Amino acid sequence: IFFRRSFHKMPNLVVSAKFNPPRICLMGTTLREETVKKIDACLPRATTTSMSPKQDPPKCCHVSNPPHWRLDMGNQHADVVSQSHMMLHIIEALEGEDWKMKAAHGIGHNSHCWQSVDAGMSTTRLFFHRK
């Protein structure tokens, strides 16, 4: 007797945040426009440095290959407290869309080599699932 299992696609989302300067990537299934707007509104204000009033705040842009949302804040800096605030804003925005965080991973790029390109940077990844 053979049983046929129906495997349905499980929606997953990975948020990768690289600091400094802050760069946020959201990869996985599609997001609602209101969720992207919440992230656009909260994250630029959560950085340690203030933004120039002459510049438009950075916005999430959709990248097609591979499909993901990206928010680059090239002229900003985020200390560890600001990084925590940014992660909290992301989690709150995604929980509003019924995403549940399943895991998190963080790494500091404190290389012993002074020539390392990303020495002093850090990366945090958040893994989400939705039924």
Side-chain angles (χ1 to χ4, degrees):
I1 299 175
F2 293 98
F3 293 100
R4 187 173 174 181
R5 292 185 183 183
S6 65
F7 292 102
H8 61 280
K9 192 174 182 180
M10 292 193 304
N12 295 308
L13 180 70
V14 177
V15 177
S16 177
K18 192 169 189 176
F19 300 98
N20 281 306
R23 174 192 275 174
I24 313 297
C25 292
L26 297 106
M27 300 184 82
T29 59
T30 58
L31 294 173
R32 293 182 196 144
E33 185 178 346
E34 64 195 48
T35 303
V36 175
K37 286 182 179 180
K38 283 181 190 177
I39 291 171
D40 279 343
C42 295
L43 293 190
R45 293 183 300 159
T47 60
T48 306
T49 52
S50 61
M51 294 186 336
S52 169
K54 295 178 183 178
Q55 289 182 330
D56 291 332
K59 301 273 186 202
C60 287
C61 64
H62 189 265
V63 179
S64 60
N65 191 13
H68 68 282
W69 287 94
R70 182 172 59 208
L71 176 63
D72 286 317
M73 294 179 269
N75 296 329
Q76 302 297 87
H77 181 82
D79 63 7
V80 291
V81 174
S82 294
Q83 291 174 24
S84 298
H85 285 141
M86 293 174 83
M87 294 293 103
L88 182 61
H89 289 306
I90 292 170
I91 292 167
E92 288 174 342
L94 293 174
E95 283 180 346
E97 197 176 312
D98 296 328
W99 288 99
K100 301 294 180 211
M101 191 169 73
K102 293 296 180 182
H105 176 264
I107 186 168
H109 301 266
N110 295 331
S111 176
H112 296 290
C113 177
W114 64 272
Q115 294 177 343
S116 176
V117 174
D118 53 352
M121 298 177 95
S122 64
T123 302
T124 302
R125 289 187 181 91
L126 306 175
F127 300 90
F128 293 86
H129 175 74
R130 179 172 61 187
K131 291 185 179 184

